Amino acid sequence: MVFSSLPFIFLFLPLNLLAYFFAKDIKSKNTVMLVFSLIFYAWGEPLYILLLIGMAFIDWYLTLIMSKYKHSPKKAKLILSTTVAADLLLLGIFKYGSFLLSNVKYFTGFPKTVPEIALPIGISFYTFQLITYCVDVYRDEVPPQRSFKTLLLYVSMFHQCIAGPIVRYKDISHELTDRNVTYTDIAEGLNRFVTGLAKKSIIANSCAEIADKLLVSDTGDFSVLASKSVLSLWVGVLAFTIQIYTDFSAYSDMAIGMGRMIGIHYPENFKYPYISASVSEFWRRWHITLGSFFRDYLYIPLGGNRKGKARTVLNLFVVWALTGLWHGASWNFVLWGLYFFVFIALEKLILAPFLEKHRVFSHIYLLIIVFFGWILFKFENLSDIWCVLKGMFGCNGNKFSDFETLATVKSYIVLLTAAAVACTPLVKRISDKLKYCALRSVKALAVYSVFQIVVPILLLILSAAALVGNSYNPFLYFRF
């Protein structure tokens, strides 16, 4: 089950909210959320719910033991290392086991058969959340959670369990046991959820359809890439560039909105990254919770930028290689991470002063870097990546355009334009301006209030219509 599905929107979520608000106290409300979260996760993977519960129990139990050794740093650190190692080992087996064995087989011929290990959905997200809990308890930033049920709720909360954001325990620990919900919370939460739903079902899904139509054949065969026209490849990558942002950010919007409806405030995960003027700024705006995780739990502990330029570059290399690998068990993701490492290292060492002085050039530079970076993300086969890059400049002997591409572009030009606008803060700024005016005029307040009611309802209707009329609803997070 995914957020952008009709059963979730019109059955699962309403039943969850109904049961939640009928529950009398916080203990009962948490029980409701835990039961619904486990049902949600087990809906598609009933077996792997045992893995999620098992990992949460191991971390809960070992962290309680660790907290008893505050006056024995060596023992506490040993327990922390054991706990984190167990988490990473399980993540490694399920997410990278087949990838590792296939590479070993390539060089050694062993094993003869590489087992296909199914990837539990969301394992990267909840593994990282468990690690933040254990490390923050070790650092005395939060007390250990005495209730396993509460910790399991934190890990398995269906809002963010399978698609993020990566929520740190210390950021919501108090809200897990003591929270109040106002009408404003419910209204703004619903608005945020519906906005994300529309972004996913209308914009992201449409852009995904355009991208796949222009970049692969109807059968999903990537071998036709060499014959794709120049225009087809450029517009296809553009559509994927919009899709990847609107899809990722839409799920974060929906998660944040659902959390807000029950009084939990999840952190922002995207802040219009395509308006950035450097790669470094882009990554401060893109998947913010992942970037801050690697910064606070890997980059800074490795020494950050405090040990000279050479060590800084090495630390950045490690962080970005692992950032790429986190996104998927394939060499193209490692290459994608290292691609951004090169530009971030150059900015830190050389380019930053120049980019700060030339904002227009900097923005164009950023868009070009990110645009070509998404080609590495889209195609897992390195030969396909090379074929696309050559084809974009007509080096495959391919034509500049063809009838199919022109027809597609003409059919979707309005949608692509609207989608590009959705990647900017323009709509939000208009909304903020209307809100500002509403606070200063009774008439404007009346108009704004109607606007706040009508627009979410309209977006919900349009989203439902899009989902009913279109079976194309890809879920990008299966890798994570």
Side-chain angles (χ1 to χ4, degrees):
M1 189 187 305
V2 295
F3 300 161
S4 56
S5 66
L6 296 175
F8 179 84
I9 299 164
F10 294 108
L11 182 62
F12 185 89
L13 183 58
L15 285 176
N16 169 245
L17 293 174
L18 191 65
Y20 180 85
F21 286 110
F22 269 108
K24 294 181 179 180
D25 53 32
I26 192 65
K27 187 176 180 180
S28 301
K29 291 179 184 297
N30 281 351
T31 299
V32 168
M33 291 308 303
L34 179 59
V35 169
F36 272 86
S37 294
L38 295 179
I39 292 173
F40 178 86
Y41 193 84
W43 189 274
E45 296 187 335
L47 179 62
Y48 283 128
I49 195 172
L50 299 177
L51 176 66
L52 187 155
I53 294 173
M55 289 178 67
F57 181 81
I58 291 170
D59 285 39
W60 171 75
Y61 181 71
L62 291 180
T63 304
L64 282 177
I65 295 175
M66 180 183 68
S67 66
K68 297 178 181 179
Y69 290 100
K70 288 185 178 180
H71 303 296
S72 180
K74 288 186 178 179
K75 289 184 178 179
K77 192 171 185 178
L78 177 61
I79 295 172
L80 173 67
S81 300
T82 302
T83 307
V84 173
D87 290 335
L88 294 177
L89 177 62
L90 289 169
L91 175 64
I93 291 172
F94 285 97
K95 186 169 183 176
Y96 305 105
S98 297
F99 171 66
L100 179 62
L101 289 174
S102 64
N103 281 277
V104 171
K105 180 182 179 181
Y106 179 81
F107 289 105
T108 67
F110 178 84
K112 290 184 178 180
T113 303
V114 176
E116 289 292 331
I117 303 174
L119 177 64
I121 293 176
I123 188 171
S124 295
F125 290 102
Y126 64 73
T127 298
F128 276 22
Q129 291 191 181
L130 282 169
I131 289 173
T132 69
Y133 165 70
C134 298
V135 173
D136 289 347
V137 171
Y138 173 78
R139 292 173 175 174
D140 272 336
E141 295 181 9
V142 288
Q145 177 53 249
R146 300 291 173 183
S147 167
F148 172 64
K149 174 184 168 183
T150 302
L151 184 66
L152 181 60
L153 174 62
Y154 156 69
V155 174
S156 65
M157 188 86 76
F158 72 84
H159 304 156
Q160 39 75 35
C161 178
I162 65 171
I166 299 171
V167 181
R168 301 187 191 188
Y169 174 78
K170 65 181 180 181
D171 290 339
I172 65 166
S173 59
H174 65 288
E175 292 180 337
L176 289 172
T177 54
D178 182 21
R179 58 183 179 272
N180 295 306
V181 184
T182 66
Y183 288 114
T184 300
D185 286 327
I186 297 172
E188 293 187 358
L190 283 169
N191 200 328
R192 186 71 178 267
F193 174 82
V194 173
T195 300
L197 177 64
K199 192 190 293 185
K200 163 62 178 169
S201 60
I202 300 172
I203 299 176
N205 285 357
S206 298
C207 288
E209 198 167 4
I210 297 169
D212 285 351
K213 186 173 184 179
L214 295 177
L215 295 176
V216 299
S217 68
D218 293 336
T219 61
D221 184 7
F222 284 92
S223 64
V224 301
L225 281 172
S227 62
K228 290 289 184 178
S229 69
V230 173
L231 184 62
S232 176
L233 294 174
W234 279 91
V235 177
V237 174
L238 173 63
F240 181 72
T241 299
I242 298 173
Q243 176 208 350
I244 198 83
Y245 166 69
T246 51
D247 197 296
F248 272 50
S249 64
Y251 269 92
S252 289
D253 287 338
M254 287 186 275
I256 292 168
M258 288 185 290
R260 187 73 183 273
M261 290 181 215
I262 65 167
I264 295 179
H265 296 75
Y266 298 128
E268 291 293 336
N269 211 22
F270 292 87
K271 291 184 179 178
Y272 305 102
Y274 290 153
I275 68 170
S276 303
S278 70
V279 177
S280 299
E281 183 186 354
F282 175 84
W283 279 100
R284 289 194 295 270
R285 293 173 174 271
W286 178 278
H287 209 329
I288 298 166
T289 56
L290 177 66
S292 64
F293 174 90
F294 277 112
R295 180 195 65 212
D296 295 341
Y297 297 95
L298 183 60
Y299 180 67
I300 292 176
L302 285 174
N305 59 1
R306 304 186 305 275
K307 297 185 177 182
K309 291 184 178 180
R311 182 60 181 271
T312 297
V313 172
L314 176 61
N315 293 341
L316 287 171
F317 176 85
V318 171
V319 167
W320 285 100
L322 292 176
T323 298
L325 196 59
W326 181 88
H327 284 84
S330 177
W331 284 113
N332 71 298
F333 292 112
V334 178
L335 184 61
W336 177 75
L338 295 179
Y339 171 84
F340 281 107
F341 151 73
V342 169
F343 291 101
I344 287 176
L346 285 173
E347 287 177 8
K348 283 187 176 294
L349 298 176
I350 303 171
L351 296 177
F354 176 82
L355 295 175
E356 290 173 3
K357 292 179 181 178
H358 303 85
R359 294 289 294 182
V360 175
F361 171 84
S362 300
H363 182 60
I364 296 172
Y365 145 87
L366 178 277
L367 291 177
I368 292 172
I369 298 303
V370 171
F371 181 86
F372 283 99
W374 289 131
I375 298 173
L376 304 178
F377 196 95
K378 171 69 173 175
F379 301 97
E380 291 190 11
N381 192 312
L382 299 184
S383 62
D384 288 340
I385 294 172
W386 181 237
C387 183
V388 170
L389 289 172
K390 290 195 301 178
M392 292 175 79
F393 298 94
C395 297
N396 288 330
N398 50 326
K399 298 180 290 185
F400 175 78
S401 186
D402 52 38
F403 176 78
E404 180 187 10
T405 303
L406 289 174
T408 301
V409 171
K410 289 178 181 177
S411 299
Y412 289 102
I413 187 65
V414 174
L415 173 67
L416 285 172
T417 303
V421 172
C423 294
T424 72
L426 178 62
V427 175
K428 185 179 184 302
R429 287 173 181 171
I430 293 173
S431 178
D432 290 342
K433 183 66 175 177
L434 291 173
K435 185 176 181 179
Y436 175 82
C437 295
L439 295 174
R440 285 157 176 75
S441 167
V442 175
K443 291 183 179 179
L445 179 60
V447 173
Y448 181 75
S449 299
V450 172
F451 179 82
Q452 288 290 91
I453 296 172
V454 172
V455 170
I457 294 174
L458 180 61
L459 289 178
L460 179 60
I461 293 171
L462 291 174
S463 299
L467 292 172
V468 168
N470 188 0
S471 61
Y472 193 81
N473 189 23
F475 183 63
L476 290 175
Y477 305 93
F478 69 92
R479 293 190 184 103
F480 309 147

